Amino acid sequence: MTMSFFSSDTTAPVVNLNSGSRALSEIPAVGLRPHMVSRFSRAAAGSMQDLASDMSTDSAIPTILLVEDNAVNQVVALEFLALMGVHTRLAKTGAEALAACAAAAPDLVLMDIQMPGMDGLECTRRLRSLQAAGQLAPFPILALTAHALDSDIKASLEAGMDEHLTKPLDFKSLRHHLGRWVKLPD
């Protein structure tokens, strides 16, 4: 089984774990900015208020919540988002995503579909329910998944997602799609 991930237009092929066509070390080493990346957990719930107030000082830069359980996808997506200059938070499960959004609503959510426990579709339904009840500010939710069948796209949209992006996704394409929903730094 070959697992494909994101690719960057600055480095040709996609990361394929089994075919070896691309090593993660070959992805441009720009480096993550730790002050802009945060993994949400129950233990960190108290510090989310501090994170939200830190981010409010630079409101022109959007905050993206990446909901992704795969470690390789996390590294690549966070690197792409860091290159775009956005504030980024990470949730590894649907439950963490709900808690992160309740603590500080992001400007946009990139939601994986297949995760253990609560999948991305159920998480999106719950987020949209909270928004409809006025308990959560509105924000776009974009599916970011390897599931590319028409039925997968339909399920994403029916769950309340605004767009369905499929992996592998290159840097230029991700930037284009995010730019449709939030104002990205130049």
Side-chain angles (χ1 to χ4, degrees):
M1 179 172 117
T2 299
M3 296 179 67
S4 297
F5 302 100
F6 301 86
S7 71
S8 169
D9 63 345
T10 60
T11 59
V14 170
V15 177
N16 285 315
L17 289 183
N18 294 331
S19 69
S21 68
R22 195 97 198 121
L24 275 179
S25 61
E26 295 176 24
I27 294 174
V30 174
L32 295 176
R33 290 180 250 170
H35 66 282
M36 293 178 68
V37 177
S38 150
R39 190 177 98 229
F40 185 81
S41 67
R42 292 177 218 262
S47 65
M48 288 306 289
Q49 290 288 38
D50 297 333
L51 177 65
S53 64
D54 288 347
M55 288 182 186
S56 67
T57 60
D58 196 357
S59 61
I61 298 175
T63 299
I64 309 284
L65 175 64
L66 173 67
V67 185
E68 174 64 61
D69 65 320
N70 180 283
V72 175
N73 285 349
Q74 290 170 7
V75 169
V76 176
L78 290 171
E79 189 71 19
F80 278 0
L81 293 167
L83 285 168
M84 290 179 208
V86 298
H87 294 289
T88 308
R89 293 170 22 215
L90 173 64
K92 293 181 178 182
T93 67
E96 285 183 13
L98 286 174
C101 290
D107 295 303
L108 182 140
V109 172
L110 284 173
M111 180 76 71
D112 188 20
I113 298 296
Q114 191 174 10
M115 295 180 289
M118 182 189 315
D119 68 15
L121 298 174
E122 179 59 25
C123 183
T124 299
R125 285 185 205 99
R126 291 186 187 189
L127 289 170
R128 293 302 190 211
S129 177
L130 291 170
Q131 290 171 334
Q135 298 173 342
L136 190 59
F139 48 78
I141 302 173
L142 281 57
L144 186 54
T145 179
H147 299 277
L149 299 175
D150 287 341
S151 59
D152 298 319
I153 296 168
K154 181 180 179 187
S156 292
L157 298 176
E158 285 177 351
M161 295 191 191
D162 296 290
E163 194 169 351
H164 185 98
L165 310 178
T166 55
K167 301 172 191 171
L169 187 68
D170 64 35
F171 178 83
K172 244 184 192 176
S173 180
L174 181 61
R175 184 171 176 81
H176 168 76
H177 287 283
L178 292 181
R180 293 175 51 180
W181 299 99
V182 294
K183 172 87 171 99
L184 296 172
D186 293 329

